[in-house]
Amino acid sequence: MLKYKGYTGYVVYDDEARIFHGEITGIRAVITFQGTTVDEIEQAFMDSIDDYLDWCRERGKDPDKPHTSKFNLRLPPELHAKVTALAAQQGV
């Protein structure tokens, strides 16, 4: 996983094409990048995000915000107490 400016991307290696390729996750826009070395894929990842943000700015469009990793859930108080106790027992 790569992180830059709050965005996250994943990378896979295609052994037939001998290239790394990846995609930004957590947003509706499809942003991809590729490279043949670790340095190239990291730079392509950052360049793709910068290009996307520039594209949005030029068009006056708000860029998609990456997921916050927060998940709100409503639970009955009894279940919340049980979950909290179990988490504390497991050290989480």
Side-chain angles (χ1 to χ4, degrees):
M1 302 297 275
L2 299 170
K3 294 186 182 291
Y4 179 65
K5 294 187 176 179
Y7 292 90
T8 302
Y10 70 89
V11 176
V12 294
Y13 180 70
D14 181 334
D15 58 345
E16 288 183 24
R18 300 181 53 81
I19 194 166
F20 294 101
H21 59 92
E23 187 172 333
I24 308 301
T25 62
I27 61 174
R28 290 176 302 179
V30 177
I31 303 172
T32 61
F33 50 96
Q34 66 182 28
T36 57
T37 67
V38 172
D39 288 340
E40 279 183 19
I41 196 71
E42 288 177 343
Q43 188 62 54
F45 167 70
M46 293 184 288
D47 290 347
S48 292
I49 292 169
D50 289 338
D51 289 347
Y52 169 68
L53 295 174
D54 289 344
W55 182 87
C56 289
R57 192 171 21 263
E58 288 169 6
R59 285 158 183 77
K61 177 185 182 292
D62 289 332
D64 289 344
K65 301 263 191 255
H67 292 304
T68 63
S69 299
K70 294 180 183 176
F71 180 73
N72 295 320
L73 181 65
R74 296 193 186 276
L75 300 173
E78 303 80 27
L79 181 57
H80 188 194
K82 288 179 184 178
V83 169
T84 302
L86 182 60
Q89 287 174 351
Q90 295 180 359
V92 232

